[in-house]
Amino acid sequence: MGLFGGRKTVNVDADILVVGGGMAGTGATYEARHWGRDLKIVCVEKANIERSGAVAQGLYAINCYMGMQWGENQPEDHVRYARNDLMGLVREDLGYDIARHVDGTVHKFEEWGLPMMRDPKTGRYQREGKWQIMIHGESYKPIVAEAARKAASEVYNRIMVTHLLTDATKPNRVCGAVGFNVRTGDYYVFRAKAVIIAAGGASHIFKPRAVGEGMGRTWYAPWSSASAYGLPIEVGAKMTQMENRIVLTRFKDGYGPVGAYFLHLKTYTENGYGEEYEKRWYEDTKALVGDYVDHHPVPTCLRNHAFLKEMAAGRGPIRMVTKEAFQDPHKEVVGWENFLGMTIGQAVVWAAQNIDPKYINPELTTSEPYVMGSHATCSGAWASGPEDYAPDEYQWGYNRMMTVEGLFGAGDTIGGTAHKFSSGSFTEGRIAAKAAVRYVSDLKNAQPQVSEEEVRELERTIFQPMELFRVGRNEIVAGTVSPSYILPIHALQRLQKIMDEYVGGISTTYMTNGLLLNRGLELIGMLKEDAVKVGAEDLHQLQRTWEFRHRLLAAESVTRHTLFREETRWPGYYYRGDFMKLDDANWHCFTLSRYDRQSGEWAMEKAPVYHIVD
């Protein structure tokens, strides 16, 4: 059996299994204990929950806070905001559900020791924008991780979850998950009555702007390997809005966020000639999307669109005007702390390129696309809504349960709920956990059954890449080339090239069409055939192999959704060159997909959008 032939099988029984220990996962773990005092709550994390997830490095703002105690905003206001930014398409029931509970989550953060900035005049939280409040967030993740650790029966760090287990007596029900320890190689079998997927969305499925040795420099966490989607897709959960990828305007080369600069420092952008450019593209944008361009605030994707048009017209680079704001010593300090507290790489890039934003206006760029359900887009699983608020068609079971029984989600995993960010993801984890506890208590004698045959078959599948390498390395020629296997990095780069060139990445300026998408699907099909020939030299490469496999499933879902939606709903995020205009008459709807792993076929359908909030 090779180097790791002596690996152990570790069996863990749980009532509720939380997959992923980021913001959503810690929220789910914390809340599950509150409602399930006597239940066994297990959290499994690929890294270490102390510093895992999208806010691992720190965060200088909580981007979703109503301020209801001061009458600043109401949940309905946030639904309207998200609906406007997503050009009319959000799950209003899910968004409202988060918004009405998120303030309580933020107040808990403060109780646990998170330093909040306050307005010295009013005593309220310091606002950065209408929805954002400023924090000293270097220790944001360790603070919430501590609450989850105390709540959990057990926390398993360094476990890569690769597959969900399905009930031997009821195929459309989950009963746990399997994976391996990325340090020891031990095989882990988690048997559970309910599973909450709170893993990360997808970075690196499109070719990043930072390549070569800088490939890990992305905006969205590079370790977010689409497990939030790969895991539920494979067991047949319906997905929604997977075409709704996000492209972000960021500081060039370091991917530093721009929100604090725009909102708090009151900076603005200009083209290479020092001109305001967004108004120049008003008529062009209106021709694509109609009255949406007149909404306030202007939807994020439409601001991207103006940026891209100005660059294509040859009037770049686009710069952020920082020289004026940085003349104020306080704003200068805030500007630097914004990066030193969460995106140190941007400060390093500026230092390396002799850029002092007090004297030089730094360049901006648009990122490669990411697929994530927790930020400003809606990709993710199709989930049942709250009993007191969701329309009948959005409600088939417990809150945040997917179309697979016993499978819940939160954070990046759940689609249709834009603009939840860190606090909203934690809140959604709490919502999902409360429902999962009720599901477990309602099971009674209908306990799920784990198939030992499936457990053993998945073990063979998971570790096959290492066996493939062990045998195939004897056939290596020319130093590294093997006729028997490809390496995980080669598979990933091949996927990125396909997605970049055929599905609307940076090399085509986010442009695609039906012909390109169909060709992309052909190439993805070939890559899927070759994916079983990825060889892993060690446990690190085995982890990379399964991260790639999750990305591959998510990427195919993105491609099929983009082909299915025959309009350009979000210009600035991507363009269907054969359907350039927004088409509310035919496409004011959600897109849904379901993958059948037995046949390998995908079923696509539309679902109605219900506008609950006036």
Side-chain angles (χ1 to χ4, degrees):
M1 289 295 291
L3 183 59
F4 294 99
R7 64 176 172 264
K8 296 185 297 184
T9 295
V10 181
N11 293 297
V12 179
D13 289 315
D15 291 301
I16 294 177
L17 176 67
V18 179
V19 178
M23 291 299 293
T26 50
T29 303
Y30 168 80
E31 193 74 9
R33 174 59 65 215
H34 178 81
W35 298 101
R37 295 293 183 184
D38 300 323
L39 299 183
K40 186 174 182 183
I41 315 298
V42 173
C43 179
V44 184
E45 165 57 47
K46 182 172 68 174
N48 187 304
I49 66 169
E50 287 294 309
R51 286 286 183 183
S52 64
V55 303
Q57 240 184 151
L59 198 65
Y60 246 64
I62 287 176
N63 293 313
C64 182
Y65 180 73
M66 304 297 107
M68 287 186 280
Q69 64 176 322
W70 297 305
E72 292 175 334
N73 300 292
Q74 296 299 319
E76 294 85 353
D77 300 323
H78 194 262
V79 171
R80 295 184 190 102
Y81 166 67
R83 180 174 65 198
N84 173 65
D85 200 53
L86 271 295
M87 312 292 282
L89 307 188
V90 293
R91 277 284 299 273
E92 297 186 17
D93 59 317
L94 300 182
Y96 179 86
D97 200 20
I98 291 171
R100 64 180 170 177
H101 293 301
V102 73
D103 283 13
T105 286
V106 173
H107 300 158
K108 284 191 177 294
F109 293 163
E110 187 174 29
E111 290 173 16
W112 296 341
L114 181 65
M116 318 290 286
M117 297 187 192
R118 289 187 176 268
D119 187 312
K121 295 180 180 178
T122 66
R124 300 178 183 180
Y125 295 147
Q126 177 70 56
R127 281 285 181 191
E128 185 180 77
K130 185 173 176 60
W131 307 105
Q132 301 82 5
I133 56 175
M134 299 191 70
I135 62 174
H136 294 284
E138 298 90 341
S139 298
Y140 191 8
K141 186 61 203 306
I143 287 170
V144 299
E146 181 181 10
R149 275 202 330 271
K150 290 177 177 178
S153 304
E154 294 171 342
V155 173
Y156 289 86
N157 291 312
R158 304 295 176 188
I159 307 294
M160 170 77 190
V161 172
T162 59
H163 299 79
L164 295 173
L165 293 170
T166 52
D167 188 347
T169 62
K170 196 173 183 181
N172 194 46
R173 179 164 70 177
V174 295
C175 57
V178 296
F180 64 95
N181 187 298
V182 301
R183 296 289 190 264
T184 67
D186 290 339
Y187 179 51
Y188 276 75
V189 181
F190 298 95
R191 296 177 293 225
K193 298 171 186 174
V195 179
I196 302 173
I197 302 296
S203 63
H204 280 304
I205 62 171
F206 286 84
K207 185 174 74 177
R209 288 200 182 274
V211 296
E213 291 183 359
M215 182 176 166
R217 180 69 262 168
T218 59
W219 168 75
Y220 189 51
W223 55 82
S224 291
S225 53
S227 296
Y229 312 127
L231 291 168
I233 286 173
E234 191 164 37
V235 294
K238 284 187 178 181
M239 308 300 289
T240 188
Q241 302 291 77
M242 292 297 284
E243 74 276 20
N244 186 205
R245 79 290 301 268
I246 187 170
V247 171
L248 303 113
T249 296
R250 289 293 180 259
F251 284 110
K252 194 170 184 298
D253 298 328
Y255 289 84
V258 299
Y261 279 65
F262 281 134
L263 295 170
H264 188 66
L265 305 183
K266 307 303 180 186
T267 57
Y268 56 94
T269 58
E270 63 183 20
N271 67 13
Y273 299 97
E275 303 166 336
E276 194 283 327
Y277 61 89
E278 287 190 10
K279 292 179 182 176
R280 177 181 287 140
W281 298 105
Y282 171 80
E283 294 299 335
D284 174 271
T285 308
K286 194 174 183 69
L288 289 180
V289 301
D291 292 341
Y292 285 105
V293 72
D294 296 319
H295 292 186
H296 182 77
V298 176
T300 307
C301 62
L302 301 186
R303 300 193 67 183
N304 275 7
H305 175 68
F307 184 122
L308 295 171
K309 296 293 288 188
E310 190 71 3
M311 288 291 289
R315 290 188 285 268
I318 305 300
R319 296 181 182 272
M320 178 177 283
V321 179
T322 56
K323 291 193 292 185
E324 297 172 9
F326 274 51
Q327 300 310 307
D328 180 333
H330 171 70
K331 290 185 176 181
E332 183 181 15
V333 169
V334 171
W336 280 108
E337 285 187 350
N338 184 60
F339 290 140
L340 295 174
M342 63 174 179
T343 316
I344 296 171
Q346 187 63 59
V348 173
V349 166
W350 281 353
Q353 296 182 353
N354 294 330
I355 295 172
D356 183 341
K358 188 174 183 177
Y359 304 107
I360 298 174
N361 292 326
E363 291 180 56
L364 301 175
T365 191
T366 52
S367 73
E368 68 278 3
Y370 305 102
V371 182
M372 53 185 302
S374 67
H375 198 270
T377 44
C378 280
S379 46
W382 187 242
S384 188
E387 293 178 355
D388 66 331
Y389 203 73
D392 291 342
E393 199 163 344
Y394 292 173
Q395 194 177 131
W396 54 85
Y398 299 80
N399 200 354
R400 266 38 174 218
M401 190 167 80
M402 303 179 211
T403 54
V404 174
E405 188 179 330
L407 184 59
F408 297 79
D412 278 350
T413 307
I414 297 300
T417 51
H419 291 278
K420 52 194 169 193
F421 302 106
S422 64
S423 55
S425 294
F426 191 96
T427 302
E428 191 166 46
R430 297 177 66 191
I431 292 169
K434 182 178 180 180
V437 168
R438 189 157 65 87
Y439 169 78
V440 168
S441 68
D442 288 347
L443 276 176
K444 296 184 174 60
N445 296 324
Q447 301 298 319
Q449 302 297 313
V450 175
S451 164
E452 186 63 22
E453 181 182 355
E454 183 183 25
V455 168
R456 297 276 72 92
E457 179 59 34
L458 286 173
E459 181 182 16
R460 287 189 289 272
T461 299
I462 290 168
F463 291 98
Q464 177 62 25
M466 296 189 76
E467 185 67 11
L468 188 64
F469 180 88
R470 187 184 70 82
V471 175
R473 66 184 175 181
N474 299 314
E475 303 171 346
I476 287 177
V477 295
T480 58
V481 178
S482 170
S484 303
Y485 61 79
I486 58 176
L487 297 177
I489 187 62
H490 300 151
L492 180 61
Q493 288 171 339
R494 189 165 146 195
L495 175 65
Q496 289 176 346
K497 181 175 173 64
I498 294 168
M499 296 297 288
D500 180 60
E501 296 178 2
Y502 293 95
V503 193
I506 53 177
S507 69
T508 63
T509 320
Y510 315 105
M511 182 67 70
T512 187
N513 62 34
L515 298 172
L516 288 167
L517 291 163
N518 276 307
R519 178 56 179 159
L521 286 172
E522 290 178 10
L523 294 170
I524 287 174
M526 297 177 199
L527 181 55
K528 288 173 71 176
E529 293 175 3
D530 291 344
V532 298
K533 293 295 185 180
V534 175
E537 180 178 6
D538 52 29
L539 290 171
H540 182 73
Q541 293 305 312
L542 186 63
Q543 177 183 331
R544 291 287 179 256
T545 301
W546 285 105
E547 288 178 334
F548 160 70
R549 294 289 286 270
H550 289 174
R551 285 186 167 110
L552 180 58
L553 264 178
E556 183 175 6
S557 178
V558 169
T559 306
R560 292 187 180 278
H561 276 253
T562 308
L563 179 63
F564 185 65
R565 181 177 287 282
E566 295 182 337
E567 65 161 356
T568 299
R569 171 66 54 167
W570 302 282
Y573 290 165
Y574 79 94
Y575 302 86
R576 277 291 301 262
D578 44 355
F579 298 100
M580 279 296 288
K581 292 186 178 183
L582 183 148
D583 181 3
D584 263 340
N586 297 299
W587 288 99
H588 193 85
C589 64
F590 295 115
T591 58
L592 303 184
S593 66
R594 184 183 182 277
Y595 174 66
D596 185 332
R597 61 179 168 178
Q598 302 301 324
S599 66
E601 298 297 316
W602 294 74
M604 304 296 304
E605 61 180 303
K606 294 180 180 181
V609 176
Y610 292 112
H611 296 301
I612 305 167
V613 174
D614 293 334

